[in-house]
Amino acid sequence: MLLDQLPALIGVVVGSTASYATQNLTERRKWKRQREERWDEKRFETYGRYANALKAQLRIAQRIGAAKGFTDVADPADPAEWLPLLAEAESRRAEEWESVLLVGDAATIAAARRWHETIWTIELLVREGTVDNAKWTKAHQLASAARDAFYVSSRRDLGIAGAPPPSGEWPRPWRVELSE
């Protein structure tokens, strides 16, 4: 009698095992997909905050530079008032940097590091105070190229298809056109 029921019992055991394995595999895939989506969101937010912190730092340095006589920048700002703001912007950038180090891939971290190093160069020109417009222009061109590389790398890391945003040109084309 037990022998007669053995095929049915084996069928139940095999079916239950297969059902459990399938459900377990499905749940693992779902969990992994949700985890990847959360990390993608976190990386997106982190990269965005970092880029915004660098842009704010650059804008402060540019405004101080305009007051000191560097070209191609509007809205001069009093260095005595704005140098402390520049230091605060650097502190904010440094805080955001730690998040980039935590969630970024190696290529994006390298691109982010290169970008903030180019911003430091612009800061140094402002802090040194001697106006050398050729160095100023070159520093901005390097910063623009570093920014582009950061966006290419971060977009790749985030799986964003399509071309990155158009490259910024320094000096701005419309400024060059006006001076011709």
Side-chain angles (χ1 to χ4, degrees):
M1 189 153 143
L2 184 62
L3 221 43
D4 293 339
Q5 294 176 354
L6 192 57
L9 284 173
I10 291 172
V12 168
V13 169
V14 168
S16 296
T17 303
S19 176
Y20 173 78
T22 301
Q23 184 177 4
N24 191 16
L25 185 60
T26 301
E27 287 299 316
R28 278 182 167 212
R29 286 181 181 160
K30 180 180 173 183
W31 178 81
K32 187 176 180 181
R33 187 174 52 251
Q34 287 173 340
R35 185 184 68 179
E36 288 172 359
E37 287 172 3
R38 282 192 310 269
W39 279 111
D40 282 348
E41 281 181 37
K42 181 59 77 179
R43 278 194 305 273
F44 176 80
E45 291 168 7
T46 298
Y47 293 160
R49 282 193 316 270
Y50 189 72
N52 286 328
L54 271 173
K55 293 293 283 189
Q57 187 176 354
L58 174 62
R59 187 66 187 129
I60 293 168
Q62 287 174 328
R63 292 188 66 189
I64 296 168
K68 291 188 171 198
F70 287 102
T71 58
D72 298 314
V73 184
D75 301 327
D78 179 23
E81 291 178 29
W82 282 67
L83 281 170
L85 296 176
L86 187 57
E88 287 176 27
E90 167 55 23
S91 293
R92 179 169 174 253
R93 188 229 35 100
E95 290 171 9
E96 297 296 341
W97 172 242
E98 296 305 316
S99 296
V100 172
L101 290 172
L102 285 171
V103 301
D105 68 354
T108 304
I109 290 169
R113 178 176 282 121
R114 176 68 182 135
W115 188 16
H116 74 237
E117 288 172 350
T118 63
I119 302 301
W120 287 346
T121 300
I122 293 168
E123 264 193 55
L124 287 173
L125 291 172
V126 165
R127 290 181 187 280
E128 289 172 357
T130 55
V131 177
D132 183 334
N133 285 316
K135 283 183 182 178
W136 180 255
T137 297
K138 181 67 175 175
H140 278 81
Q141 290 168 341
L142 292 172
S144 183
R147 175 185 172 267
D148 293 346
F150 172 77
Y151 280 111
V152 166
S153 185
S154 60
R155 288 171 62 91
R156 182 204 39 78
D157 186 32
L158 293 167
I160 298 173
S167 179
E169 295 178 38
W170 191 272
R172 303 295 183 222
W174 62 269
R175 296 281 292 182
V176 173
E177 291 169 2
L178 288 176
S179 63
E180 292 177 347

